[in-house]
Amino acid sequence: MTCPAEHMSEALSLARKGLLTTRPNPMVGCVITHNEKIIGRGWHEKSGDNHAEINAIHDVFRNLGSNAESALENSEMYVTLEPCSTTGKTPPCSEAIKKYGIKKVFIASEDNSQDGFANKTDGIEIEVGLLREDARRLNRGFFSRIEKNRPFITAKMGVGLDAGIALSSGESKWITSKESRKDVHKMRAENDAILTGIGTIVADNPSLTSRDSGYDEDKVMQPLRIVIDRNNKLTGNESIFQVEGNNLIFSSNQNIDSHNTNFYPNPSNKEINLKEIVQYLAKEKSINNLMIESGSGMFDALLDEQLIDEIILYQAPKLLGKDRKSFSNLDVTNEKLSTIDFQIIETTNLGEDKKIILRPNYK
């Protein structure tokens, strides 16, 4: 006999299939059972297409044919996110659930962007919270955008044993192993956008694209590249203007002619702070997950504003010495910054390197 948690766990596995294709929508999976036996499965496959619940109902009809409707009337549905009750690109799933008489719906996590399926649906038994933490972790970017009005922000750094990221001359571009670099390309594929500063563009001229990520390249959507160029140093000849994908530039110089580039609309040329930028990315660009690839200046500024949710360090077994540039130059005597400590979430080996996932504990 299977238990409800097993069915919801399978629904979560189905949801993960939409990792690269549902943005800016959340990943959602759905399982439908009859007499504790699964009769339908579905997941949200692509933004604009059917939601998970509708795909699972269609799967019931494929599996049971003329017996589908009677089975659905006595079925239970397991869905990883509260069914939509508003009309968007597709009709509300709540109507289909009521139409087919599904008797009970297990919901892993609420969705505050909806009108409240649990509060507005009569005649259907509803249970909310089954594997809620797993469901929220899966869509942490979506929940951050909806609830905090900003993306979930992950900062990535490649460092040596002494926390160096480069020599003072700017050399030592590749500190970490090829395994770590491949993992970075995987991270890029999983994020909606990458934010960097002009210093990184000038020093390294990166393309900031996802290549050799291990994912099906046909499904990889290149992240939006976002550059803060306060001093108008971009020329239009940099790599980001020559490769696949789009750019968004925060600069008062909007004269660069590039087919893949937009500029932040800032006619007053006022100073833009980081909180405004990440809020703009959530509200106007529907960015759920934002990756930071920058030097210490932007990293420290984001940390100071308590905007970093997760830090991923790729630590190589190398010493860069006394003339190194460090990944952070925070003033530890600063009363506010000295309260920041970190929780180690996970440590794994990647080739010769260690990948360390940390979460700041802001106070």
Side-chain angles (χ1 to χ4, degrees), residues 171-241:
E171 296 179 21
S172 302
K173 181 177 180 181
W174 299 122
I175 298 172
T176 55
S177 66
K178 64 180 182 180
E179 290 86 356
S180 291
R181 296 198 295 274
K182 182 170 183 176
D183 197 64
V184 169
H185 284 285
K186 183 171 181 278
M187 278 184 62
R188 289 176 178 174
E190 293 171 352
N191 279 266
D192 306 338
I194 299 172
L195 175 65
T196 192
I198 189 62
T200 298
I201 298 295
V202 170
D204 299 334
N205 193 26
S207 65
L208 298 179
T209 56
S210 175
R211 309 177 301 277
D212 191 29
S213 65
Y215 289 121
D216 182 347
E217 292 300 317
D218 291 335
K219 292 184 178 180
V220 172
M221 184 185 302
Q222 291 298 335
L224 175 67
R225 297 177 291 268
I226 305 159
V227 181
I228 300 176
D229 181 19
R230 300 186 191 278
N231 297 315
N232 305 326
K233 292 185 178 181
L234 287 171
T235 67
N237 297 317
E238 291 82 5
S239 293
I240 59 170
F241 299 107

Side-chain angles (χ1 to χ4, degrees), residues 3-9 11 28-33 36 53 75-83 97 102-110 117 124-131:
C3 67
E6 290 177 294
H7 294 315
M8 188 64 80
S9 181
V28 183
C30 181
V31 167
I32 300 174
T33 66
E36 299 185 0
E53 300 93 320
S75 68
E76 296 183 339
M77 173 179 284
Y78 297 80
V79 61
T80 58
L81 188 68
E82 178 182 333
I97 294 171
I102 294 170
K103 68 176 183 179
K104 184 171 183 177
V105 179
F106 292 86
I107 300 169
S109 178
E110 305 88 342
F117 174 81
I124 301 176
E125 185 180 354
I126 297 170
E127 183 174 320
V128 181
L130 180 63
L131 302 187

Side-chain angles (χ1 to χ4, degrees), residues 119-353:
N119 298 326
K120 290 190 172 184
T121 306
D122 296 326
I124 301 176
E125 185 180 354
I126 297 170
E127 183 174 320
V128 181
L130 180 63
L131 302 187
R132 177 187 279 118
E133 291 306 311
D134 293 333
R136 288 186 61 84
R137 192 179 307 114
L138 176 68
N139 283 306
R140 61 188 189 179
F142 171 77
F143 286 114
S144 181
R145 176 166 66 85
I146 296 301
E147 298 171 0
K148 296 182 180 180
N149 300 312
R150 68 165 178 82
F152 186 94
I153 300 175
T154 302
K156 158 261 172 187
M157 285 283 181
V159 302
L161 293 173
D162 50 8
I165 59 174
L167 302 178
S168 59
S169 64
E171 296 179 21
S172 302
K173 181 177 180 181
W174 299 122
I175 298 172
T176 55
S177 66
K178 64 180 182 180
E179 290 86 356
S180 291
R181 296 198 295 274
K182 182 170 183 176
D183 197 64
V184 169
H185 284 285
K186 183 171 181 278
M187 278 184 62
R188 289 176 178 174
E190 293 171 352
N191 279 266
D192 306 338
I194 299 172
L195 175 65
T196 192
I198 189 62
T200 298
I201 298 295
V202 170
D204 299 334
N205 193 26
S207 65
L208 298 179
T209 56
S210 175
R211 309 177 301 277
D212 191 29
S213 65
Y215 289 121
D216 182 347
E217 292 300 317
D218 291 335
K219 292 184 178 180
V220 172
M221 184 185 302
Q222 291 298 335
L224 175 67
R225 297 177 291 268
I226 305 159
V227 181
I228 300 176
D229 181 19
R230 300 186 191 278
N231 297 315
N232 305 326
K233 292 185 178 181
L234 287 171
T235 67
N237 297 317
E238 291 82 5
S239 293
I240 59 170
F241 299 107
Q242 318 303 325
V243 295
E244 180 186 1
N246 296 311
N247 306 307
L248 175 63
I249 310 299
F250 287 78
S251 172
S252 60
N253 173 20
Q254 302 191 3
N255 296 320
I256 293 174
D257 184 15
S258 173
H259 72 282
N260 65 346
T261 301
N262 290 311
F263 289 86
Y264 175 75
N266 183 32
S268 64
N269 292 334
K270 71 172 184 175
E271 188 74 9
I272 303 168
N273 65 44
L274 290 170
K275 283 187 177 179
E276 287 178 335
I277 288 174
V278 298
Q279 288 170 356
Y280 171 81
L281 294 176
K283 182 178 179 180
E284 301 297 334
K285 299 298 181 180
S286 297
I287 300 298
N288 292 326
N289 294 286
L290 177 64
M291 180 178 176
I292 309 300
E293 294 200 52
S294 70
S296 60
M298 181 176 292
F299 175 83
D300 290 349
L302 287 162
L303 201 59
D304 185 19
E305 295 285 350
Q306 300 190 0
L307 292 174
I308 294 178
D309 297 299
E310 184 174 85
I311 300 170
I312 297 184
L313 295 181
Y314 296 92
Q315 187 178 51
K318 298 176 182 177
L319 294 172
L320 276 71
K322 66 177 183 178
D323 293 327
R324 69 189 180 277
K325 291 183 177 181
S326 296
F327 80 90
S328 175
N329 294 304
L330 290 178
D331 182 359
V332 295
T333 64
N334 181 294
E335 181 178 351
K336 177 181 178 182
L337 298 179
S338 65
T339 64
I340 300 175
D341 58 2
F342 300 90
Q343 177 186 0
I344 296 177
I345 304 301
E346 183 180 341
T347 301
T348 55
N349 294 323
L350 283 175
E352 296 179 343
D353 302 339

